[in-house]
Amino acid sequence: MNILDILALFICLAGIFIYVNTYYLKLPSSVGLMILALGLSLALLIIEQIIPEFKLGTERILADYDYHEVLYQLVLSFMLFAGALQIDFKKLAEERTPVLILALVGVLISTFIIGSAVYYLLQWINIPLDYMYCLVFGALISPTDPIAVTATIRKYSLSKNLETRIAGESLFNDGIAVVITLTLLDLAHAGEDHFLGIVDIVWVFGTDITGGIVIGLFLGYLGYRILKYIDNDEVEVEVLMTLALVMAGTQLAEFAHVSAKQAVVVMGLVIGNEGKSGHVTSAAGDYVFKFWHLVEETLNAMLFVLIGLEMLIIPWRLDYFAAGFFAFNIVLFARYVSVSLPIAAMSTYRSFEKNTIHVLAWGGLRGGIPIALSLSLPEFEGKEVIITMTYTVVVCSVLYQGLTIPKLMRITFPKK
């Protein structure tokens, strides 16, 4: 199979997943897609037992092509840009302090707790994995995906402030987690002989984030001016311009050695700001937002298809899956701590709604971003453990949290 055949297969399966979930399962997007992905994995495993050659063909598909660049450069950038377009920039500006503190401090706390706990867990069950790679897992599993429960949340009487905090915190912790993951990965590859000092780490992290924000602001404003100049009836031109901006911005940030993911987030916020105003003079037409929503849903479905195929070639070891199940409980605990501590500190000068911690913690599902990050990791000893744990945590998170979040919302908030 060539790359076009594989792409066609992924898009076809993604389309089937979305169709079945929309018209038959009628579940929240991530929940439905996860159930279908599990069904795909089970079906492929059964076929593999009947036709042994099937596994060899699947292994060739996954081994012959390097998905690292596609996942990191294209999929992550597109998903983060699409998510940023949906955020109310003006409302986010009012909530910038809690959003940024929750995103930055929360991801750092979560990374340390998860990484440290998983390291001792793996030692206990005799699975060797270096502590730095445990921290890498802690960072890549920290991003949340509240888009999975947005439709449910909007049925209840949450304030706009809380909705903005949930969406904004998730959006920024995605970009920050990517930077932390890559920084820790570089440290893990450098080894003890080239270990960077804390000042160097802070400098690299700070320049990555700052540089990404600067490039995002520049290209976002440039794109906004171009889109405002284009007639809203020219929907094809608007869509092509946004595609060009995301791809050019990603490459420019990579060339400058700064955070491309933070750049596309800022670009999405700037371009989406006027586009959501509803005025005739809005920069982007409604078609642009519908297009990027479709891109996000499609890529998310394709990621679940890919992780379903990936499960055919990783070792089916009970200890790996047991580690993933225990890691899920660790991730939940870390999420509560990483949300509670910043909110407790900010409560001295800013008010928070009752049950904010419960909604932020339990509503923080793991979804497409951790899957893409785990699959885009370069080869190293222990990668299979991380992929298996990531898969297990995402499955447990989407099914358990995703299916129980409506009950939590009914208890904490009345319906509108």
Side-chain angles (χ1 to χ4, degrees), residues 92-262:
L92 180 62
E94 297 174 6
E95 299 293 331
R96 62 185 180 277
T97 300
V99 164
L100 292 175
I101 290 176
L102 283 168
L104 177 57
V105 178
V107 169
L108 291 172
I109 293 173
S110 176
T111 297
F112 175 74
I113 293 176
I114 295 171
S116 300
V118 165
Y119 174 74
Y120 288 108
L121 168 68
L122 295 179
Q123 293 292 312
W124 179 56
I125 57 179
N126 296 318
I127 298 177
L129 188 64
D130 187 78
Y131 180 67
M132 290 304 300
Y133 287 119
C134 290
L135 289 177
V136 169
F137 171 72
L140 70 85
I141 203 65
S142 292
T144 57
D145 182 22
I147 294 172
V149 292
T150 298
T152 302
I153 286 175
R154 285 178 178 169
K155 297 177 183 177
Y156 300 86
S157 56
L158 274 71
S159 68
K160 288 295 181 182
N161 289 347
L162 183 54
E163 284 189 17
T164 302
R165 287 170 183 172
I166 293 172
E169 185 261 344
S170 172
L171 183 66
F172 279 96
N173 75 21
D174 286 348
I176 290 170
V178 171
V179 176
I180 295 176
T181 300
L182 296 178
T183 303
L184 291 171
L185 200 58
D186 289 340
L187 294 175
H189 286 165
E192 294 181 1
D193 295 337
H194 302 91
F195 196 82
L196 297 176
I198 186 66
V199 175
D200 298 314
I201 295 173
V202 172
W203 172 256
V204 170
F205 181 74
T207 51
D208 273 2
I209 295 291
T210 305
I213 290 174
V214 170
I215 290 178
L217 286 172
F218 170 73
L219 290 180
Y221 180 74
L222 176 64
Y224 160 70
R225 298 303 304 179
I226 293 173
L227 289 173
K228 196 167 185 179
Y229 177 77
I230 298 172
D231 191 330
N232 277 352
D233 292 333
E234 302 292 338
V235 293
E236 300 89 350
V237 181
E238 288 188 332
V239 169
L240 286 173
M241 282 305 306
T242 54
L243 281 169
L245 283 166
V246 174
M247 300 184 77
T250 300
Q251 294 303 316
L252 178 59
E254 288 296 319
F255 178 77
H257 300 291
V258 297
S259 173
K261 305 305 164 267
Q262 211 63 51

